[in-house]
Amino acid sequence: MNSTAARPRKLLPIRRLISLSSIMFLVTAIANAPASLLSPILERGDPLITYERLDGTVWAGELKHLWVEDQYFGTINFRLSPLKLVLGRFEARVRAEGGVGTGEGNIGVGALGQTFRVSDARVVFDLSAVRNYTMFGIPYQGEVRASIKRFVVSREGCRIARSEVWTDMLNAPAIEFLGNALPLEGAAACDGADVALSLTGENASGTAQITIKVTPQLSYEFVAAIDPVEQDLEAQLPLVGFEARGAQFVYDAYGELKGMGS
């Protein structure tokens, strides 16, 4: 009768075991380090960042009463992804509430800071925070709601943009001039290196399409095209800067992006 001896298990070399133990100790130490260690990084930012306090750990913390210039972002909670750190990428699950924007999503930075990523995110932004721009001479009102499946930009520009967007940004001017609200919905996508947002909507007075493009150099192009149904609307549109182009009335603007506040 033949018998087979059990194969002896291979043991990790002592140097490798020490290296793995050291790495685990380092990761554990970093994970449990107080979040306040991040303060020097935040405080050297530009534009100026101010906040009340930073609680928790480097791994999972809470930034209370965050201001970026004159915009209040409320409380920011974050939890780092250890798997992405192993792969050489910084990514965190972030939740914001109580400020100009509320929502939750994954935010990450690629190796060497070459890319910026957002995924699996839902956000709501308060448009009344925008004070450097107006919509046809009327201050921005309402909100923007976005469901972002994946958004990736690099220094060269847009790489991936898949998101759905809804807004009532036109409701204020539409109600003032027409008496009818005009909500818009659409999607964001890459147009070459540019980020392009296309929105459409309609009411009893006509249909509207808005396209916003932002280049890697942060210049923007804003185009609003309206197909009026009522003659009253045709008479009102030139008064707020629209030009007749065939059957449509078009309003366009170009410039460089600047801060939201004044």
Side-chain angles (χ1 to χ4, degrees), residues 14 22 33 38 40 44 63 71 73 93 100 114 137 168 183-184 189 191-192 203-204 219 221-222 247 253-254:
I14 189 64
S22 300
L38 299 173
R44 72 180 184 182
L63 191 62
Q71 295 300 321
F73 284 83
R93 187 69 179 175
V100 297
Q114 297 295 314
D168 55 359
L184 304 167
D191 183 0
N203 61 18
S219 61
E221 172 187 338
F222 175 94
Y254 309 87

Side-chain angles (χ1 to χ4, degrees), residues 48-62:
L48 181 65
I49 295 175
T50 59
Y51 56 93
E52 184 178 282
R53 69 177 188 270
L54 188 55
D55 297 332
T57 66
V58 170
W59 210 255
E62 183 176 77

Side-chain angles (χ1 to χ4, degrees), residues 241-254:
F242 281 83
E243 296 180 357
R245 298 180 187 176
Q248 289 185 325
F249 285 80
V250 179
Y251 175 97
D252 47 25
Y254 309 87

